[in-house]
Amino acid sequence: MAALTPLDGGGIKTSRASLFGGIAVAIGVFVLWVVLARDLGAAGVASLAIGAVVSGLIGLWIWRADL
């Protein structure tokens, strides 16, 4: 039985537009994180650091997933 292989080699495509989209989403997520943290009374250095990590990971996922 022949194995099915993708025509493009199966690699994840990452375009410049996807990179800019990931950066924009990361910035948006961080802004929302800061606003919600401030509204909930948890605006501190630790909260901002966690927000930066979370928004960075989401932006990285958007870029790598080419969404």
Side-chain angles (χ1 to χ4, degrees), residues 21-39 42-60 62:
I23 291 170
V25 168
I27 291 170
V29 168
F30 184 70
V31 168
L32 288 175
W33 185 284
V34 170
V35 169
L36 285 173
R38 188 172 293 166
D39 190 42
V45 176
S47 176
L48 293 178
I50 294 171
V53 169
V54 168
S55 62
L57 289 174
I58 291 173
L60 181 64
I62 293 292

Side-chain angles (χ1 to χ4, degrees), residues 3-24:
L4 298 175
T5 58
L7 295 176
D8 63 354
I12 296 175
K13 296 179 183 177
T14 53
S15 65
R16 184 174 295 248
S18 183
L19 174 64
F20 291 144
I23 291 170

